[in-house]
């Protein structure tokens, strides 16, 4: 089991933190080299790519990829945590009823680069203390707004003819986006308190719901000795970087941690996926310019 390597797209169940998922997979696979690629709140289900073995060395790159969610906002009620897990703190029935056109216009204002103030119930650290720890003590501290990007929002359903209307949508967003804060901010734009009633992550980078395994399926794969066949190749989480193939001699240089002359017209600071002549992924290199020539230096080498 210690030689397992690859990315496991896990279907995270409700009731587990991301770290809980890592611990459970460590027990199932009997290996310590396991890491997750982005925190999901315990009540949230969906895609959580888990890196195993050598794949733990690419966690940071997969974390940076866009995420996609399926969410429902309820307008008229706000909670302490900005989601359905928190205590109700404000309630204001919507009257008169919004039209679909009004809601659509307000929601679409959030597409693009926006600023968000992170919620108190979040894992962000201020002065070494996680915000949710302070929130549990009843404390609130000032948080700086952060820029995030909403690439797209697609409204799927609206239930507006009720005291507390609900809107269900798909959102594709950058790393660091809080969808529950997005829901609260949409409510503010509409002039009402609001919270996120439901959330499921449906994609993380290239990994989608249809790719995911449950814990039960993983345990069955272990019993049948088929786990490696369910793990995605390490480079599948890196396909957003350009590729570069080296010859046999250059591959030996890669394994010895040497720099490479890159026969491609590239800017400085670009990450490259390096492949050997057998098309096996062997390294990540970062480009730099020297005397007008493009070179690459090793960032991660995979033996």
């Amino acid at each position: 089991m210690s030689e397992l390597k690859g990315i496991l797209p896990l279907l995270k169940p409700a009731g587990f933190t991301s770290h809980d998922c890592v611990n459970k997979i460590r027990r199932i696979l009997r290996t310590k080299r396991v890491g997750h690629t982005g925190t999901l709140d315990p009540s949230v289900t969906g895609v959580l790519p888990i890196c195993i073995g050598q794949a733990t060395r690419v966690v940071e790159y997969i974390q940076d990829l866009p995420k996609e969610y399926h969410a429902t906002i309820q307008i008229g009620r706000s909670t302490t945590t900005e989601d359905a897990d928190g205590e109700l703190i404000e309630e204001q029935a919507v009257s008169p009823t919004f039209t679909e056109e009004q809601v659509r216009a307000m929601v679409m204002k959030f597409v693009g680069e926006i600023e968000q103030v992170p919620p108190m119930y979040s894992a962000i650290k201020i002065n070494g203390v996680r915000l949710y720890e302070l929130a549990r003590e009843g404390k609130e501290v000032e948080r700086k707004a952060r820029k995030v990007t909403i690439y797209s929002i697609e409204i799927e359903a609206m239930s507006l003819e009720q005291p507390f209307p609900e809107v269900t949508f798909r959102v594709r967003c950058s790393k660091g986006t809080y969808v529950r804060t997005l829901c609260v901010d949409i409510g503010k734009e509409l002039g009402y308190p609001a919270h996120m009633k439901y959330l499921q992550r449906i994609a993380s980078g290239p990994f989608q719901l249809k790719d995911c395994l449950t814990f039960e399926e993983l345990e069955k794969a272990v019993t049948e000795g088929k786990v490696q066949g369910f793990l995605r190749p390490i480079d599948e989480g890196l396909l957003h970087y350009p590729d570069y193939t080296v010859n046999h001699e250059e591959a030996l240089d890669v394994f010895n941690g040497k720099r490479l002359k890159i026969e491609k017209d590239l800017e400085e600071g670009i990450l490259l996926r390096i492949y050997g002549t057998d098309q096996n992924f062997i390294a990540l290199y970062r480009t730099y310019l020297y005397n007008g020539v493009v070179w690459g230096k090793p960032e991660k080498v995979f033996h």
Side-chain angles (χ1 to χ4, degrees), residues 183-201:
C183 289
V184 169
D185 290 343
I186 289 171
K188 286 178 184 174
E189 195 70 26
L190 290 164
Y192 285 88
H195 74 280
M196 182 185 75
K197 187 177 180 181
Y198 169 82
L199 186 68
Q200 182 179 49
R201 186 191 279 166

Side-chain angles (χ1 to χ4, degrees), residues 14-26:
F16 282 74
T17 66
S18 297
H19 194 62
D20 290 339
C21 293
V22 167
N23 284 338
K24 180 154 185 165
I25 289 173
R26 281 175 178 156

Side-chain angles (χ1 to χ4, degrees), residues 129-268:
V129 182
R130 296 199 184 276
L131 285 177
Y132 65 74
E133 293 173 352
L134 296 172
R136 286 170 183 165
E137 295 173 6
K139 298 175 182 176
E140 182 159 352
V141 296
E142 187 177 345
R143 289 97 66 205
K144 290 183 179 178
R146 305 190 307 174
K147 288 183 179 178
V148 297
T149 303
I150 308 296
Y151 299 109
S152 64
I153 300 178
E154 179 185 337
I155 294 178
E156 296 187 329
M158 289 191 253
S159 302
L160 304 180
E161 300 293 330
Q162 54 192 41
F164 303 102
E166 295 182 4
V167 180
T168 297
F169 60 92
R170 290 167 67 111
V171 56
R172 188 169 179 271
C173 52
S174 66
K175 170 194 174 184
T177 302
Y178 284 93
V179 180
R180 51 197 160 107
T181 301
L182 174 65
C183 289
V184 169
D185 290 343
I186 289 171
K188 286 178 184 174
E189 195 70 26
L190 290 164
Y192 285 88
H195 74 280
M196 182 185 75
K197 187 177 180 181
Y198 169 82
L199 186 68
Q200 182 179 49
R201 186 191 279 166
I202 56 178
S204 179
F207 306 105
Q208 300 180 36
L209 273 179
K210 63 180 176 61
D211 304 318
C212 292
L213 261 69
T214 63
F215 284 131
E216 293 73 24
E217 288 169 331
L218 181 61
E219 287 170 332
K220 183 182 177 185
V222 169
T223 302
E224 296 175 351
K226 297 178 179 178
V227 174
Q228 187 62 61
F230 286 103
L231 300 185
R232 312 301 277 262
I234 294 173
D235 59 328
E236 195 165 320
L238 307 169
L239 298 180
H240 51 296
Y241 299 127
D243 65 300
Y244 188 77
T245 301
V246 297
N247 60 35
H248 180 69
E249 288 183 5
E250 290 171 322
L252 293 177
D253 287 340
V254 168
F255 290 128
N256 287 318
K258 295 183 179 179
R259 67 178 187 165
L260 289 174
K261 185 177 179 181
I262 306 296
E263 303 291 345
K264 258 188 175 183
D265 185 17
L266 293 169
E267 296 177 4
E268 192 166 64

